Amino acid sequence: RATDPTPAVFFFSAVIGITVIGMSEIKRSFNDEMGYLKREDTTSYSIRPGFVQGMNVPGKFYVNDQLERLMLDELRSFSRQSHNAGGFLPAVKQIGNVAALPGIVKHSIGLPDIHSGYGFAIGNVAAFDMGLPEAVVSPGGVGFDINCGVRLVRTNLLF
């Protein structure tokens, strides 16, 4: 590592996620929430920073017609609640939460199997620049409930 000047970038594909970061949730109407989403083409949306407080990068997610309906219905239902009554945040909000993690690179991406998880949405992918001291490594981004976990081992090996 000492001889490699390029920062390491770690990728996490969320099977089951991380603890929700301590962001205060801003409640908005569904129409206001949709103001942060932009349909890019027939299979993808972008999510503007500001959708979730503290987003460092934009979000993206990929959908077909059925998944698009599910994603937007989940957000619509969440928007109707007076407060988060417990349970999972909508997957699109979880994409935004991941976009707020320290050290994230370029985008928080929801793949076509995206659905709500434990903070990191299931099917959420993110890369983190480990050359930044504030960057995080989140084993929870790989999962932890049905043995879809990851094992961390620290060694003094250099690559």
Side-chain angles (χ1 to χ4, degrees), residues 29-150:
S29 71
F30 176 72
N31 288 337
D32 288 343
E33 295 281 30
M34 289 301 295
Y36 288 90
L37 305 182
K38 179 182 177 191
R39 187 175 193 122
E40 297 292 338
D41 56 42
T42 59
T43 61
S44 68
Y45 278 83
S46 61
I47 306 168
R48 237 179 352 106
F51 180 65
V52 168
Q53 187 177 357
M55 286 176 67
N56 298 311
V57 296
K60 287 184 172 187
F61 63 97
Y62 297 90
V63 292
N64 60 20
D65 292 339
Q66 184 179 5
L67 181 57
E68 178 184 27
R69 260 191 319 280
L70 292 171
M71 292 284 286
L72 299 181
D73 284 349
E74 185 179 55
L75 182 60
R76 183 178 292 109
S77 175
F78 177 77
S79 297
R80 288 181 183 143
Q81 298 174 0
S82 60
H83 65 285
N84 188 7
F88 296 124
L89 286 173
V92 69
K93 284 289 191 181
Q94 292 178 338
I95 294 169
N97 278 344
V98 171
L101 290 172
I104 189 164
V105 177
K106 292 197 177 186
H107 293 93
S108 172
I109 299 172
L111 299 178
D113 64 340
I114 189 94
H115 55 286
S116 294
Y118 294 126
F120 237 95
I122 299 162
N124 200 172
V125 177
F128 299 91
D129 182 346
M130 299 317 296
L132 299 174
E134 69 275 9
V136 298
V137 173
S138 174
V142 177
F144 56 83
D145 73 334
I146 55 172
N147 204 25
C148 342
V150 40

